């Protein structure tokens, strides 16, 4: 490392940092404050190594790998295309989003390029903006939280694999002194969470995500589950990874159903489970608020 304060600063819009073909990605590492600082619009960040060596096997830390600042909007960090994934690992914070409409898709955050070995950030992603989306990422081995959502409304966390983080997989609460709590619309659906040091999903403060409470599982068999949730909510049922808290992390999605107007729900699984499995669940209401995981039932 030979430190800059900031590696790259994008103050004008519609840039590509990296590319989809071999050799087009950059190594942006060893910067004292920020690797890539974005405060403009419609930029694409693809195929880079941010906070690691060029092989993505060891850390060369930035303070923040990617900072999407308050004035930024409609930026893509990774795309749903081959070759677009960034490795954003080895930093104090991998990605910090203050702006709006940021799409974080298909990246490796806290891992090597394979997703199997640790090159940890302290925190994988901190979301502080509005209308941001985190989808199809592998977020693992970070020393604190995989995703920390704070001071934001209308975030979507969808189909990510979040694993082996030192504290919570997903945490909703006050990431900074004086920042607002996420009050509504943080949707957490169809993710895979397992072996995180804390809870899979944790609410720091009562009233986060409009105070939505987890479902209650009243009857579970190898082929079906029955319970209650908020009226007309979407209930997702998962095989749990047997978290010692009893509120296990949802490792494998097995069913998704709508609760009735009185909150009752019944779900069947496409394949029978083994006797050693436990079931947990989340609820998502019509305002896109998702709960923590329910108490496990064997």
């Amino acid at each position: 490392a030979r430190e800059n304060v900031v590696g790259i600063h994008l103050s004008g819009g519609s840039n590509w940092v990296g590319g989809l073909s071999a050799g087009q990605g950059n190594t942006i590492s060893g910067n004292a404050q920020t690797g890539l600082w974005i405060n403009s619009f419609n930029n694409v960040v693809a195929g880079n190594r941010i906070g690691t060596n060029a092989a993505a096997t060891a850390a060369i830390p930035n303070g923040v790998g990617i900072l999407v600042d308050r004035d930024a909007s409609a930026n893509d960090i990774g795309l749903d295309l081959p070759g677009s994934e960034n490795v954003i690992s080895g930093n104090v914070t991998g990605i910090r989003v203050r702006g709006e409409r940021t799409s974080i898709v298909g990246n490796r955050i806290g891992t090597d390029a394979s997703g199997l070995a640790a090159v940890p950030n302290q925190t994988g992603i901190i979301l502080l903006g509005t209308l941001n989306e985190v989808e199809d990422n592998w977020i693992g081995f970070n020393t604190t939280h995989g995703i920390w959502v704070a001071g934001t409304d209308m975030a979507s966390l969808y189909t990510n694999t979040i694993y082996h983080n030192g504290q919570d997989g997903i945490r909703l609460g006050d990431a900074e002194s004086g920042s607002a709590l996420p009050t509504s619309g943080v949707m957490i659906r169809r993710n895979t969470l397992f072996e995180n040091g804390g809870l899979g999903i944790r609410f720091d403060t009562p009233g986060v995500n409009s105070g939505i409470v987890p479902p209650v599982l009243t009857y579970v068999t190898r082929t079906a589950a029955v319970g209650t949730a908020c009226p007309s909510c979407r209930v997702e049922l998962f095989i749990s990874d047997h978290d010692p808290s009893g509120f296990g992390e949802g490792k494998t999605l097995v069913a998704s159903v709508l609760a009735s107007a009185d909150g009752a729900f019944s779900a069947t699984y496409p394949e029978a489970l083994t006797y050693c499995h436990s079931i947990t669940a989340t609820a998502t209401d019509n305002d896109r608020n998702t709960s923590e995981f329910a108490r496990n039932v064997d």
Side-chain angles (χ1 to χ4, degrees), residues 241-259:
D241 75 340
H242 294 284
D243 190 281
S245 69
F247 292 84
E249 304 178 57
K251 185 173 184 180
T252 305
L253 179 68
V254 294
S256 179
V257 296
L258 284 176

Side-chain angles (χ1 to χ4, degrees), residues 92-98 104 109 122-129 132 134 139 142-152 155 157 162 165 167-177 179-182 186 188 200-205 208:
V92 177
T93 300
I95 305 172
R96 180 185 180 85
V97 180
R98 294 171 172 167
I104 303 170
I109 302 170
Q122 287 187 23
T123 304
I125 300 172
I126 297 177
L127 295 180
L128 294 158
N132 296 301
V134 182
I139 305 169
N142 299 288
T143 59
T144 61
H145 312 301
I147 304 174
W148 198 343
V149 186
T152 182
L157 313 181
I162 303 171
N165 295 288
Q167 297 184 27
D168 302 316
I170 300 170
R171 186 168 188 166
L172 275 64
D174 189 359
E176 292 185 334
S177 177
S179 67
L181 290 171
V186 181
I188 306 167
I201 302 170
R202 182 190 295 273
F203 291 179
D204 268 353
T205 305
V208 168

Side-chain angles (χ1 to χ4, degrees), residues 230-290:
C230 42
S232 304
C233 284
R234 170 66 60 181
V235 178
E236 291 188 343
L237 295 110
F238 299 82
I239 298 172
S240 167
D241 75 340
H242 294 284
D243 190 281
S245 69
F247 292 84
E249 304 178 57
K251 185 173 184 180
T252 305
L253 179 68
V254 294
S256 179
V257 296
L258 284 176
S260 65
D262 65 0
F265 67 87
S266 176
T268 57
Y269 321 136
E271 297 181 10
L273 307 182
T274 68
Y275 287 108
C276 64
H277 283 141
S278 297
I279 296 297
T280 188
T282 60
T284 301
D285 66 20
N286 292 329
D287 294 320
R288 298 166 45 93
N289 301 295
T290 298

